[in-house]
Amino acid sequence: MNLKKQKFHYRVGFVYYDIRKNILSIDHVRKAQNIFGQDEAYIRKYADCENLLGINCIALKHYEEAEEHLLTALDYAVKSNDQELVLHVKYNLGYLYSEQNLSEVAINRLVEVKEYNFNSCKTNFLLAREYFKTNQNEQALFLLEEGIKSCHNLKNTEYLHHLSILKAFYSPELETSQVESVVQEANVYFKKEGLWYFIQEYAERLAKRFYEEQNYEKSSYYFNLSYETKETIFELEALK
């Protein structure tokens, strides 16, 4: 069994996932998986591959297939008695259900992860977002403050911005221009780090909010920013 070759394909698959080349990522992960199959000695590695296949499928919006991979990953993670991997897969299941607006199911999964304080910045963000969607604002606000504190302690700048933006969008006392300022501050960081997907996502949210307020000039600006950022993402992906 060529474990070096397996590790190579897995790492390449992970890199491709990171840069949103999901089809290429899936191809390499399957190659890694096929090297050792479902050998009892490599349950943990098999679970890792299923987990990576699952999150690639989420990115491609192949949700049914993503769930199959993640539930398989969870089964193998439990068999390998790897608590950290179990929590990682449960977090990804919560993310999967969140992406489909299945808030109650997402909350159930994420609460399990939260109990172990796993990946606190990301977990608090996702869980707070789902609580807001279900009008459980008190729980959401508590998690936001806790998440912001964790981000400061862990020096996690990216999720500090995500949590701050989420808080701004759901703060009724803030005018949209104030929410806009929070997003603009975050965009400086996102642009520096090449996180164009988030610039596009938040521009779209601002555009919709300004549109609802009949501020069509601002709405047009942010819809255009969203469009231009999508074009930038496409060009960057084409070069990779």
Side-chain angles (χ1 to χ4, degrees):
M1 186 176 294
N2 193 335
L3 289 180
K4 286 185 179 179
K5 191 174 180 180
Q6 176 271 325
K7 288 179 181 178
F8 167 79
H9 282 299
Y10 180 83
R11 286 171 182 166
V12 171
F14 194 86
V15 170
Y16 275 131
Y17 168 76
D18 241 10
I19 61 173
R20 308 288 178 119
K21 290 280 191 178
N22 302 104
I23 301 299
L24 287 172
S25 177
I26 288 170
D27 182 53
H28 279 279
V29 177
R30 289 197 186 282
K31 286 177 181 176
Q33 199 172 39
N34 288 339
I35 289 170
F36 51 77
Q38 298 185 35
D39 191 308
E40 286 291 320
Y42 301 101
I43 288 176
R44 194 349 175 134
K45 294 181 185 296
Y46 195 87
D48 278 333
C49 287
E50 285 292 314
N51 185 51
L52 187 47
L53 288 171
I55 56 178
N56 269 298
C57 287
I58 295 173
L60 293 169
K61 302 189 186 303
H62 297 170
Y63 297 130
E64 187 174 344
E65 189 177 351
E67 185 178 45
E68 289 175 7
H69 285 300
L70 291 175
L71 289 176
T72 300
L74 183 59
D75 182 50
Y76 278 94
V78 170
K79 286 179 181 176
S80 68
N81 199 29
D82 189 323
Q83 183 63 22
E84 184 176 354
L85 183 57
V86 167
L87 292 171
H88 195 177
V89 177
K90 285 183 176 181
Y91 168 83
N92 286 333
L93 281 164
Y95 173 53
L96 166 66
Y97 300 130
S98 171
E99 287 296 285
Q100 298 173 84
N101 286 322
L102 300 171
S103 295
E104 293 298 337
V105 188
I107 287 169
N108 289 338
R109 283 296 185 183
L110 292 167
V111 164
E112 293 179 57
V113 177
K114 170 69 179 163
E115 287 176 0
Y116 291 87
N117 200 32
F118 176 79
N119 214 352
S120 58
C121 299
K122 290 185 176 182
T123 301
N124 277 45
F125 171 77
L126 267 189
L127 196 47
R129 190 173 71 176
E130 297 312 303
Y131 277 136
F132 277 129
K133 287 180 187 177
T134 55
N135 297 315
Q136 299 179 72
N137 291 4
E138 188 175 342
Q139 294 95 318
L141 289 168
F142 174 81
L143 288 168
L144 276 180
E145 295 303 329
E146 188 179 70
I148 287 170
K149 184 177 179 181
S150 289
C151 287
H152 281 299
N153 291 338
L154 298 170
K155 296 181 171 32
N156 189 328
T157 305
E158 180 187 335
Y159 269 82
L160 180 58
H161 283 302
H162 289 309
L163 285 157
S164 298
I165 291 170
L166 184 64
K167 182 179 179 180
F169 269 109
Y170 282 97
S171 296
E173 72 276 8
L174 293 185
E175 295 181 1
T176 304
S177 60
Q178 293 172 291
V179 178
E180 179 186 24
S181 296
V182 177
V183 173
Q184 286 176 338
E185 182 181 346
N187 280 349
V188 174
Y189 173 81
F190 294 149
K191 189 173 183 180
K192 179 184 174 184
E193 298 297 321
L195 299 172
W196 300 99
Y197 290 93
F198 298 126
I199 295 174
Q200 187 271 320
E201 177 186 340
Y202 292 126
E204 194 170 284
R205 285 194 66 181
L206 276 174
K208 289 178 180 177
R209 182 150 166 171
F210 278 122
Y211 181 82
E212 289 166 359
E213 295 176 357
Q214 298 183 354
N215 188 337
Y216 300 123
E217 185 177 348
K218 280 282 190 178
S219 178
S220 178
Y221 171 80
Y222 280 105
F223 271 124
N224 188 59
L225 176 60
S226 176
Y227 175 79
E228 288 181 347
T229 307
K230 281 182 181 178
E231 291 293 299
T232 299
I233 293 167
F234 178 79
E235 289 171 10
L236 289 170
E237 288 183 340
L239 292 172
K240 289 174 179 175

